[in-house]
């Protein structure tokens, strides 16, 4: 599918050294949610908050954990516990 969308264009390298993250929840099967999202995998991706890209840096792991809600500056400030 991706190749069909790209047509004859060539893929470029990751010049900015970025990380692509695709968070998702645990897939569960319920008929109501299957009708809404089409599949349990689709629901898991939607409820995971959607994909995002971060630039590579020394703080990449901390930035990802903060974006995902596992680390913050208040109650969840311990990096080793996140």
């Amino acid at each position: 599918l991706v190749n069909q969308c790209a047509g004859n264009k060539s893929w470029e390298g990751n010049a900015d050294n970025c990380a692509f993250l695709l968070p998702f929840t645990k897939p569960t099967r319920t008929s109501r949610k299957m009708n809404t999202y089409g599949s349990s995998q689709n629901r898991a991706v939607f409820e995971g908050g959607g994909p995002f890209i971060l630039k590579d840096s020394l703080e990449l792991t901390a930035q990802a954990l903060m974006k995902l809600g596992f680390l913050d500056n208040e109650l969840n400030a311990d990096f080793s516990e996140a």
Side-chain angles (χ1 to χ4, degrees), residues 31-54:
S31 60
R32 183 174 55 87
K33 290 188 177 184
M34 291 289 283
N35 290 336
T36 302
Y37 300 105
S39 73
S40 58
Q41 290 84 6
N42 292 346
R43 183 201 61 82
V45 170
F46 179 81
E47 291 183 353
F52 60 96
I53 295 174
L54 297 174

Side-chain angles (χ1 to χ4, degrees), residues 15 22 24 36 41 43 54 61 66 68 79:
L22 180 62
F24 57 92
T36 302
Q41 290 84 6
R43 183 201 61 82
L54 297 174
T61 303
M66 288 181 88
L68 295 170
F79 185 78

Side-chain angles (χ1 to χ4, degrees), residues 16 26-27 29-30 42 44 47 63 65 78 80 82:
D16 291 331
K26 181 179 178 183
R29 292 182 170 260
T30 63
N42 292 346
E47 291 183 353
Q63 288 175 343
L65 290 172
D78 189 348
S80 64

Side-chain angles (χ1 to χ4, degrees), residues 54-81:
L54 297 174
K55 285 198 174 203
D56 188 22
S57 71
L58 294 175
E59 295 83 30
L60 175 65
T61 303
Q63 288 175 343
L65 290 172
M66 288 181 88
K67 178 85 173 163
L68 295 170
F70 292 105
L71 187 64
D72 60 34
N73 294 326
E74 296 176 13
L75 298 176
N76 300 313
D78 189 348
F79 185 78
S80 64
E81 288 184 6

